[in-house]
Amino acid sequence: MDSRVTAATFRAGAFRRRIAWVFGLQFVAVVIICIMGIYGVAPTAAVIAAIVITTVLAWIATRREWRPVRALARLVSRWDGQQPSPEALRLDQLTTHTDADVASLARGLQGFATRIAGYNQRERNFTRDASHELRSPLTVIKMSVDMLADEEHISEFGSRSVRRIKRATLEMEALVEALLILARESDAGLDRECFSANDVLRQELEAAREVLVGRPIELQLEEPAHFALQGSSRAFAVLCWQLIRNACQQIEQGRVVVTVLPGAVSVSGPADSPAAGDMLRVRGADRHGFELAIAQRISDRFGWPLELQTRSGRENIARIHFPQPLPETAVRDTQQQ
């Protein structure tokens, strides 16, 4: 932090003392003026005018003393927590008249911002590196599983094992994709794509059905509405996949319905028990499951509000709202440009 701020450390508590002096002097002046008015030393109009002038002077003095606090508030309000450098706070802009208490608060805020920036950077680096390192072994596993599946004399037990490995590999691929999305959440240009939400959902449901092979769970897509979005199609796909996966993990068998509504997408499935139903409440309640944590992060990143609720204790519903949906023709118009 700039030396102009740290130089104020010897004036500890000066702000309170100066404010006390201002109001103390105002009180004394008002008392003297009132006594002068009571004993007729000064006319009533002069007394009122003197009280008004004294009050205005006290307000100006207090406003001047409050200036460093207001300057600090403006700096903090302009600070974007997503910026990698805490220097964006620009605390060096505080004046030499900054009170020691305000300077101490500024130093604390800068230290806090530094720790947050370091934590965010470490999280992004770890997520990005781990995701990239996982892609190679996942590719090897997929190729090996496909080769095993083509074997003619593989046993039934082996076939079931191959299907389980393939399902786990596809789920891991989706998880790696989600982690990469989150690791790149501050990258510029990530949300400049125009895509059809319905087309992406159809592709994700096809992939989800492949993952659910062998499980008595039916995936159904209902499309009473069609719309496009300006954003990241991969982020949208991962967000929907996480909600579909969460709905499938809550049931042993049944039907999960994905519905495209005007400016929204909902994923609904049966709740096997009240305990499962208690898991999903209106936004703000506790959320269990890594899938919902990832979905919430993507939702917050792209400004797509996520609402979780239970209907009559028998149906869990996750609904994503899109504040600025586009007509599907926007995709064709973008492609033609």
Side-chain angles (χ1 to χ4, degrees):
M1 186 178 297
D2 194 274
S3 59
R4 292 180 299 174
V5 178
T6 58
T9 55
F10 66 90
R11 297 195 301 271
F15 176 77
R16 290 178 295 175
R17 289 197 299 271
R18 288 194 294 269
I19 292 296
W21 272 106
V22 169
F23 284 101
L25 291 174
Q26 181 197 18
F27 175 75
V28 172
V30 170
V31 169
I32 293 174
I33 293 169
C34 291
I35 292 175
M36 292 173 63
I38 292 173
Y39 287 99
V41 177
T44 304
V47 170
I48 295 176
I51 292 176
V52 171
I53 293 173
T54 304
T55 304
V56 170
L57 291 175
W59 177 79
I60 293 174
T62 304
R63 187 170 180 268
R64 182 176 179 277
E65 295 298 330
W66 190 255
R67 192 178 301 163
V69 178
R70 190 167 63 251
L72 178 61
R74 285 197 297 267
L75 290 174
V76 173
S77 66
R78 291 198 298 265
W79 178 57
D80 181 7
Q82 295 297 330
Q83 295 188 32
S85 175
E87 298 302 326
L89 276 173
R90 301 298 302 275
L91 297 178
D92 58 318
Q93 295 181 3
L94 296 178
T95 67
T96 56
H97 301 290
T98 300
D99 184 79
D101 294 336
V102 178
S104 177
L105 177 61
R107 286 194 298 271
L109 286 173
Q110 190 168 43
F112 178 74
T114 301
R115 290 193 296 272
I116 291 296
Y119 171 78
N120 288 338
Q121 187 62 43
R122 288 192 299 272
E123 182 187 29
R124 283 194 295 269
N125 290 341
F126 173 79
T127 306
R128 182 181 61 251
D129 296 342
S131 302
H132 281 299
E133 289 298 325
L134 284 172
R135 281 189 164 182
S136 296
L138 282 175
T139 302
V140 174
I141 293 172
K142 283 183 62 179
M143 294 176 60
S144 301
V145 167
D146 291 338
M147 293 174 62
L148 284 174
D150 293 337
E151 289 288 335
E152 297 181 358
H153 305 293
I154 189 171
S155 65
E156 181 61 28
F157 177 78
S159 297
R160 290 198 303 269
S161 298
V162 167
R163 287 195 297 268
R164 285 196 296 268
I165 295 173
K166 187 175 183 178
R167 181 165 60 245
T169 305
L170 292 173
E171 291 181 350
M172 181 61 73
E173 274 192 320
L175 177 59
V176 169
E177 188 68 31
L179 293 177
L180 282 173
I181 291 286
L182 296 179
R184 298 174 55 213
E185 64 180 357
S186 61
D187 287 0
L190 185 62
D191 52 357
R192 301 301 181 187
E193 179 185 0
C194 185
F195 62 92
S196 169
N198 298 67
D199 292 344
V200 174
L201 273 174
R202 293 189 198 103
Q203 296 173 4
E204 286 304 304
L205 283 175
E206 287 300 320
R209 291 188 181 101
E210 187 176 357
V211 173
L212 294 173
V213 170
R215 294 184 60 186
I217 297 178
E218 177 188 358
L219 292 179
Q220 179 178 341
L221 176 63
E222 297 181 354
E223 301 179 82
H226 296 75
F227 64 89
L229 291 173
Q230 183 78 27
S232 168
S233 61
R234 287 308 306 152
F236 174 80
V238 170
L239 173 58
C240 294
W241 164 241
Q242 297 301 324
L243 297 179
I244 294 170
R245 182 185 179 193
N246 180 74
C248 293
Q249 286 187 344
Q250 295 185 44
I251 59 176
E252 293 297 330
Q253 60 181 4
R255 182 176 62 176
V256 173
V257 180
V258 181
T259 308
V260 183
L261 304 169
V265 173
S266 72
V267 179
S268 60
D272 283 346
S273 64
D278 291 339
M279 222 172 69
L280 299 174
R281 296 294 180 191
V282 179
R283 183 183 178 92
D286 290 338
R287 295 174 175 82
H288 303 277
F290 191 55
E291 300 85 8
L292 292 182
I294 293 176
Q296 188 64 63
R297 287 282 299 275
I298 297 176
S299 167
D300 295 339
R301 160 66 177 86
F302 290 91
W304 299 332
L306 173 61
E307 179 186 353
L308 306 171
Q309 65 184 68
T310 296
R311 179 180 297 169
S312 304
R314 294 190 300 269
E315 184 181 25
N316 293 330
I317 302 174
R319 184 175 291 109
I320 320 162
H321 298 275
F322 303 96
Q324 296 179 330
L326 304 172
E328 268 198 325
T329 55
V331 179
R332 293 192 295 270
D333 295 341
T334 303
Q335 294 173 348
Q336 292 174 359
Q337 291 179 354

